[in-house]
C-alpha cells in the first residue's frame, strides 16, 4: 500500500495491492479531478487522461466556459449550482438564501493509520495496516472547508472514503446535502447490481443495464431498510463470478441513504453515495464541523466473487469488533417462533432443559417478557419484568438456565414506545411526532425521540438496569418499525431537518455505551428481520438477524444477497419450525440445518414439540456446527449457483484461507424427472493440490473420491440427482 503525491503534475496516487486510484488537481482554480480507478498501475503521471484541453471545454483563465467545463469534467467531489448539472454531492443554503458552493484544493496530509469518525461507525486499522490521504478543499467565497479522506489498507483493496465539512465563515450555514463519495468515470457499457426486497425477503440481487439518466436505490425510512440496500456495484457485461472488472460502494451507515449511477450526455458515469438529502438540513454554526459517514469503495478484476471476498475480509478484520469478532458464537435457541408471546418461566425452562441435553448452548428469551406485553399492542418502553409470566423474576430464570450449563440472552427494543405504556402516558412528547397531527402507528408503536439527551439517558438506564440484574450474555436489539411523522419536541424549527441523522447517531451512542459497559455481551442487531443489516450496525454487533423468514429455501436467496457483501459470520441464521411460519413450506430438518450452517447457527422452534426424528438430529447438527464453523466464519466464500437464477438448485462453497479444506453446500430445491447428474465446478482450491471427499459416506453415488483442485475447478464434479424436493447435502473436501 502506498499513497504518493507527484508535485510537478499535482497527481495523488493511492495504491492497494491490486488497484490504483488517481486524483489530479487542475487549473488555477485548483479543481479536484478524478483521473483513474482500476487495476494497479506503476506509472503515476496520468495527467494526460484529464480532458482539460478538449474544446469547447477549455478551462484556461482567459478563454473559459466554466459551466461547460464543470458539467463535463470528472470530479472527485462536487459543489452545486455553478455549472455542474449532474448529481451534486454537496449542497448548502446560506443565511442569504443562496445555494451555490464549489470546492478548490488547498492542502493535503498523508499519514499512517486512520482516524476514527467521531460518533460514527467506521473501518479501522493500526498505523502499520493502513494509510490515509486527507485533501483539504475550500469554497473561496463561503470559507467552507471540505475535507475529503481516503484510507487504504495493506491487506485489502478497499478504499474507505468520508467527508468532513467545517464552517470557517462568518455566519451559520445550512447543509442541505452532504454525500460521502463520488466516482466519476467513463462508461464501459456497465451493468448495475443492487439489492432489493421487502419484509421476510430481504436483499434479492438485481442486475440491470446502466442507462442514460439516473438510476438509484435509496431509503428514506430512517433505517437502511428491507426494501433497498446501501450498496451499489457496476460491472462490465462480461464480468462473471470469477473474472472481469467490477466496482462497488457500500455505506457504513444505518439510516437514510442514496446510492445512484447517472450516465451523462458524454457517456460518463457519476456514482454517488451518502445520506439521502430528503428531509436533511443540518445547521452548521461558525467553527462547527459535520462529519459524513464512511463509504467503502472497491474495485476488483476478479469478478463479483473477488469483490465479495474483499468485502468479507475487510469487514472481518477492520470493521467488526469485540470479544466475539473472531470467535465461534454459542448455538442459541430462541423462543419467538416456539411460543410468540405465550410463555412463562416453566415453559422457557422446559425448552432450555431439552435444548441443553441436545448440545444447544444458549437460551434467548424473545419479545413479551416485560410490562403487560401479551401481544404487540402494548408495553414497549416499560422494561420491567412481567412477574406474572416470569415467576421468581428474571434473575431466577437466568440462574436456572445457567445451572443447565447454558448461557442466557434477552430481546430488547429500546428505540420504541407503545402508546399503551406507562412511559408514553408519562412522556407523550418523547415520541417522534409532528405537533397537531395524529401520529402514524406501525406495529402499534411509535419511535422514541432519541435526539433528546434525557430520552437517551432514560432508555440507556432502563436497558442497563435489565442487563445488570442478571447474568445476561446476549442481547437481540430489535427495531420493528420505520420512521415517519418526522418531528421532535426537542429540536428548534431550523434543526428539524437534523432529526433523521441525529436519531441514527443516538442509536450508535446507545450501542456504544452498552458494549462498553458490558464488553462481554454478544450483541445481535435485528430490525423486523433484516431491515438494518448494514455496515453501521456491524461495527457494534458482530452478527445481525438476517430475516424473519427462516424457511430454508427462501433463505438461500436472502443469504446469497446478504453474503454478496457481508461475511457469513455475521448472518443470523436458525433452523426453524415446519410448516414454516412465513411461507408454510415443509422442508427436511437436515436441509434446514445445512442452510443455517452458513450463518451464526441456532434454533427457532419449540424443541419439546418437534417430531422426535428431527429432535434426534440436533446433536448431529450441533457437532456439524462445531466441526465446520471455524471454516465457515473465516474462509473464502464462493457462489457457485444461485437458486434465484436457475430455479432448480443452489450451491456455494467456503474455502479455508490456506486452501487445506473446503465445504460445499448443495441444495437441490426441486426434484425433476429424468435428470442427469449436475456438473458443478468447485473453484478456489489449490490447483495442484489433491483433495479427497472426507465425508464420502454421504455421497454413495460418487465413486471417485479424490481429485486435483484444478480438476474440481475447471472440469467439475457430477452431483447426482437427489430424490424429492428441498434436498441438501454437504461435501467436505480435504487436501491430502
Ligand atoms: C422481529 C424479529 O425479527 C423477530 O425475530 C422477533 O424478535 C420479533 N420482532 C419480536 O417482536
Amino acid at each position: 500500500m502506498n499513497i504518493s503525491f507527484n508535485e510537478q503534475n499535482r497527481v495523488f496516487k493511492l495504491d492497494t495491492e491490486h488497484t490504483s486510484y488517481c486524483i489530479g488537481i487542475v487549473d488555477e482554480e485548483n479543481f479536484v479531478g478524478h483521473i483513474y480507478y482500476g487495476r494497479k498501475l506503476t506509472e503515476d503521471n496520468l495527467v494526460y487522461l484529464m480532458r482539460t484541453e478538449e474544446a469547447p471545454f477549455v478551462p484556461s483563465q482567459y478563454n473559459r466556459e466554466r459551466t461547460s467545463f464543470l458539467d463535463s469534467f470528472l470530479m472527485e467531489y462536487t459543489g452545486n449550482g455553478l455549472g455542474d448539472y449532474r448529481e451534486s454531492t454537496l449542497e448548502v443554503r446560506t443565511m442569504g438564501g443562496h445555494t451555490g458552493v464549489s470546492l478548490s484544493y488547498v492542502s493535503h496530509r498523508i499519514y499512517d493509520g486512520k482516524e476514527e469518525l467521531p460518533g460514527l461507525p467506521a473501518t479501522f486499522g493500526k498505523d502499520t495496516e493502513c494509510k490515509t490521504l486527507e485533501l483539504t478543499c475550500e469554497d473561496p467565497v463561503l470559507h467552507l472547508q471540505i475535507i475529503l479522506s481516503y484510507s487504504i489498507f495493506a491487506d485489502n483493496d478497499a478504499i474507505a472514503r468520508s467527508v468532513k465539512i467545517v464552517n470557517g465563515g462568518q455566519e451559520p450555514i445550512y447543509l442541505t446535502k452532504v454525500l460521502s463519495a463520488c466516482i466519476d468515470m467513463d462508461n464501459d457499457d456497465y451493468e448495475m447490481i443492487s439489492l432489493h426486497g421487502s419484509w421476510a425477503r430481504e436483499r434479492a440481487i438485481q442486475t440491470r443495464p446502466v442507462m442514460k439518466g439516473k438510476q438509484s436505490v435509496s431509503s428514506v425510512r430512517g433505517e437502511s431498510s428491507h426494501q433497498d440496500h446501501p450498496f451499489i456495484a457496476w460491472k462490465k457485461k462480461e464480468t462473471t463470478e470469477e473474472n472481469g472488472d467490477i466496482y462497488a460502494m457500500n455505506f457504513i451507515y444505518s439510516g437514510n441513504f442514496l446510492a445512484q449511477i447517472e450516465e451523462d450526455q458524454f457517456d460518463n458515469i457519476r456514482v454517488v453515495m451518502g445520506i439521502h438529502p430528503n428531509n436533511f438540513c443540518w445547521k452548521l454554526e461558525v467553527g462547527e464541523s459535520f462529519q459524513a459517514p464512511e463509504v467503502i469503495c472497491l474495485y476488483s478484476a476478479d469478478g463479483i466473487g473477488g469483490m465479495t471476498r474483499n468485502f468479507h475480509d475487510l469487514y472481518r478484520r477492520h470493521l467488526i469488533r469485540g470479544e466475539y469478532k473472531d470467535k465461534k458464537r454459542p448455538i442459541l435457541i430462541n423462543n419467538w417462533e416456539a411460543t410468540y408471546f405465550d410463555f412463562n418461566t416453566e415453559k422457557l425452562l422446559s425448552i432450555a432443559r431439552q435444548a441443553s441435553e441436545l448440545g444447544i448452548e444458549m437460551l434467548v428469551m424473545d419479545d413479551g417478557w416485560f410490562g403487560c406485553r401479551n401481544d404487540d399492542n402494548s408495553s414497549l418502553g416499560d422494561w420491567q419484568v412481567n412477574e406474572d409470566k416470569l415467576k421468581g423474576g428474571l434473575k431466577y430464570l437466568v440462574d436456572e438456565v445457567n445451572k443447565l450449563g447454558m448461557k442466557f440472552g434477552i430481546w430488547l427494543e429500546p428505540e420504541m414506545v407503545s402508546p399503551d405504556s406507562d412511559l408514553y402516558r408519562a412522556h407523550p412528547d418523547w415520541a417522534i411526532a409532528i405537533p397537531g397531527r395524529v401520529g402514524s402507528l406501525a406495529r402499534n408503536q411509535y419511535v422514541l425521540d432519541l435526539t433528546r439527551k434525557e430520552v437517551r439517558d432514560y432508555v440507556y438506564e432502563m436497558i442497563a438496569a435489565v442487563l445488570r440484574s442478571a447474568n445476561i450474555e446476549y442481547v437481540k436489539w430489535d427495531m420493528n418499525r420505520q420512521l415517519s411523522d418526522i418531528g421532535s419536541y426537542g429540536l428548534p424549527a431550523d434543526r428539524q431537518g437534523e432529526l433523521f441523522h441525529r436519531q441514527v447517531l443516538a442509536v450508535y451512542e446507545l450501542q456504544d455505551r452498552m458494549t462498553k459497559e458490558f464488553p462481554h455481551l454478544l450483541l445481535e442487531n435485528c430490525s423486523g428481520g433484516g431491515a438494518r443489516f448494514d455496515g453501521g450496525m456491524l461495527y457494534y454487533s458482530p452478527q445481525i438477524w438476517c430475516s424473519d423468514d427462516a424457511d430454508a429455501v427462501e433463505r438461500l436467496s436472502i443469504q446469497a444477497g446478504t453474503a454478496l457483501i457481508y461475511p457469513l459470520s455475521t448472518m443470523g441464521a436458525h433452523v426453524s419450525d415446519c410448516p414454516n411460519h412465513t411461507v408454510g413450506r415443509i422442508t427436511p430438518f437436515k436441509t434446514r440445518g445445512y442452510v443455517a450452517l452458513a450463518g451464526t447457527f441456532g434454533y427457532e422452534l419449540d424443541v419439546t414439540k418437534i417430531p422426535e426424528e428431527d429432535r434426534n438430529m440436533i446433536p448431529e447438527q450441533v457437532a456439524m456446527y462445531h466441526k465446520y464453523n471455524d471454516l465457515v466464519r473465516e474462509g473464502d466464500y464462493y457462489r457457485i449457483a444461485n437458486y434465484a437464477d436457475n430455479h432448480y438448485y443452489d450451491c456455494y462453497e467456503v474455502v479455508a484461507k490456506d486452501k487445506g479444506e473446503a465445504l460445499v453446500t448443495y441444495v437441490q430445491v426441486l426434484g425433476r424427472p429424468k435428470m442427469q447428474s449436475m456438473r458443478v465446478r468447485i473453484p478456489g482450491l489449490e490447483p495442484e493440490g489433491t483433495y479427497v471427499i472426507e465425508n464420502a459416506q454421504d455421497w454413495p453415488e460418487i465413486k471417485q473420491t479424490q481429485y486435483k483442485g484444478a480438476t474440481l475447478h475447471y472440469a467439475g464434479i457430477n452431483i447426482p440427482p437427489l430424490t424429492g424436493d428441498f434436498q441438501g447435502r454437504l461435501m467436505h473436501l480435504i487436501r491430502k
Side-chain angles (χ1 to χ4, degrees), residues 132-321:
T132 300
L133 164 67
E134 222 177 66
L135 291 179
T136 298
C137 308
E138 196 173 62
D139 179 298
V141 175
L142 303 174
H143 302 294
L144 203 61
Q145 280 182 2
I146 299 106
I147 300 156
L148 310 177
S149 286
Y150 302 77
S151 296
I152 56 171
F153 301 83
D155 59 0
N156 199 281
D157 284 320
I159 301 180
R161 291 181 60 174
S162 64
V163 177
K164 185 162 102 177
I165 314 290
V166 184
N167 184 1
Q170 300 294 318
E171 43 183 27
I173 192 164
Y174 294 100
L175 305 176
T176 52
K177 182 180 187 183
V178 188
L179 301 189
S180 295
C182 169
I183 296 181
D184 282 358
M185 57 167 69
D186 288 41
N187 194 2
D188 206 348
D189 216 4
Y190 288 122
E191 289 180 334
M192 162 174 157
I193 304 178
S194 50
L195 298 169
H196 303 269
S198 183
W199 172 76
R201 50 182 166 82
E202 295 88 343
R203 291 175 292 284
I205 301 171
Q206 177 179 281
T207 307
R208 57 177 137 161
V210 170
M211 300 178 80
K212 284 276 188 298
K214 297 177 179 180
Q215 33 261 296
S216 66
V217 291
S218 65
S219 166
V220 289
R221 298 166 186 269
E223 61 172 358
S224 43
S225 89
H226 303 96
Q227 287 77 9
D228 283 3
H229 197 74
F231 163 81
I232 201 168
W234 57 110
K235 66 169 190 73
K236 287 193 186 161
K237 279 215 173 77
E238 60 273 19
T239 296
T240 62
E241 273 297 324
E242 291 180 40
N243 294 299
D245 290 348
I246 182 162
Y247 298 85
M249 282 189 189
N250 190 33
F251 205 16
I252 308 296
Y253 187 62
S254 313
N256 292 348
F257 73 88
L258 172 69
Q260 181 176 285
I261 304 185
E262 172 182 11
E263 185 181 342
D264 70 14
Q265 57 185 324
F266 303 107
D267 305 332
N268 294 326
I269 57 166
R270 168 166 292 175
V271 189
V272 297
M273 182 173 274
I275 294 179
H276 203 296
N278 269 20
N279 297 310
F280 175 85
C281 181
W282 193 277
K283 186 177 184 186
L284 205 59
E285 298 284 355
V286 174
E288 276 185 358
S289 64
F290 176 84
Q291 176 64 59
E294 181 166 281
V295 166
I296 303 301
C297 300
L298 251 170
Y299 162 78
S300 174
D302 300 325
I304 308 170
M307 170 200 75
T308 289
R309 288 183 287 280
N310 260 289
F311 273 124
H312 287 194
D313 286 342
L314 181 79
Y315 293 162
R316 282 185 294 212
R317 292 179 199 147
H318 300 286
L319 181 65
I320 295 166
R321 306 173 299 163

Side-chain angles (χ1 to χ4, degrees), residues 199 334 336 341 366-367 373 376 411 413 443 476 478-480 526-530 545 547-548 604:
W199 172 76
N334 177 302
W336 178 240
F341 296 98
D366 211 282
D367 194 355
R373 192 151 164 101
D376 60 14
W411 177 97
E413 195 177 3
R443 210 200 188 201
K476 177 177 176 186
D478 206 347
M479 180 217 192
N480 281 301
C526 169
S527 176
W545 184 227
S547 176
D548 273 344
E604 185 105 5

Side-chain angles (χ1 to χ4, degrees), residues 324 330-335 348-365 395-409 471-474 602-603 605 607 618 622:
Y324 283 94
I331 300 177
L332 67 82
I333 184 158
N334 177 302
N335 75 307
L348 293 176
L349 285 177
S350 73
I351 292 177
R353 267 183 228 113
Q354 178 79 84
S356 67
E357 281 169 21
L358 297 166
I360 297 172
E361 298 158 320
M362 178 161 73
L363 175 78
V364 175
M365 177 172 67
K395 183 162 177 359
Y396 169 74
L397 172 63
V398 177
D399 289 347
E400 288 303 301
V401 170
N402 287 168
K403 279 185 204 157
L404 295 168
M406 292 177 90
K407 295 178 190 294
F408 184 88
N471 183 28
I472 297 170
E473 297 179 76
Y474 161 106
Y603 292 86
L605 38 73
V607 72
I618 292 180
V622 164

Side-chain angles (χ1 to χ4, degrees), residues 379-391:
S379 302
L380 292 170
D382 298 345
W383 297 106
Q384 293 87 19
V385 177
N386 178 341
E387 298 223 8
D388 290 339
K389 281 184 175 177
L390 301 189
K391 296 247 170 354

Side-chain angles (χ1 to χ4, degrees), residues 40 404 489 500 530 534 609 619 721:
K40 189 163 187 166
L404 295 168
Y489 285 95
F500 265 124
D534 55 58
K609 286 197 182 145

Side-chain angles (χ1 to χ4, degrees), residues 31-157:
F31 291 122
V32 188
H34 179 77
I35 308 181
Y36 172 81
Y37 189 23
R39 268 178 203 266
K40 189 163 187 166
L41 303 174
T42 47
E43 192 145 11
D44 74 347
N45 183 9
L46 299 174
V47 102
Y48 71 94
L49 282 171
M50 293 200 284
R51 299 186 180 93
T52 50
E53 284 166 14
E54 291 180 24
F57 309 113
V58 182
S60 89
Q61 204 174 357
Y62 306 108
N63 183 20
R64 113 167 307 151
E65 287 187 328
R66 200 188 197 210
T67 53
S68 307
F69 171 71
L70 287 176
D71 201 27
S72 65
F73 192 61
L74 303 184
M75 294 285 180
E76 262 312 298
Y77 193 76
T78 85
N80 176 55
L82 302 177
D84 182 347
Y85 298 99
R86 297 164 291 177
E87 187 75 28
S88 62
T89 47
L90 175 65
E91 292 188 12
V92 302
R93 198 174 67 244
T94 65
M95 296 317 272
H98 298 115
T99 56
V101 60
S102 73
L103 58 145
S104 299
Y105 164 83
V106 176
S107 64
H108 70 270
R109 179 162 85 102
I110 295 171
Y111 62 90
D112 290 339
K114 182 174 188 296
E115 285 176 5
E116 286 183 13
L117 303 188
L120 282 167
T123 52
F124 54 81
K126 297 194 191 104
D127 285 3
T128 49
E129 295 171 337
C130 42
K131 270 187 190 296
T132 300
L133 164 67
E134 222 177 66
L135 291 179
T136 298
C137 308
E138 196 173 62
D139 179 298
V141 175
L142 303 174
H143 302 294
L144 203 61
Q145 280 182 2
I146 299 106
I147 300 156
L148 310 177
S149 286
Y150 302 77
S151 296
I152 56 171
F153 301 83
D155 59 0
N156 199 281
D157 284 320

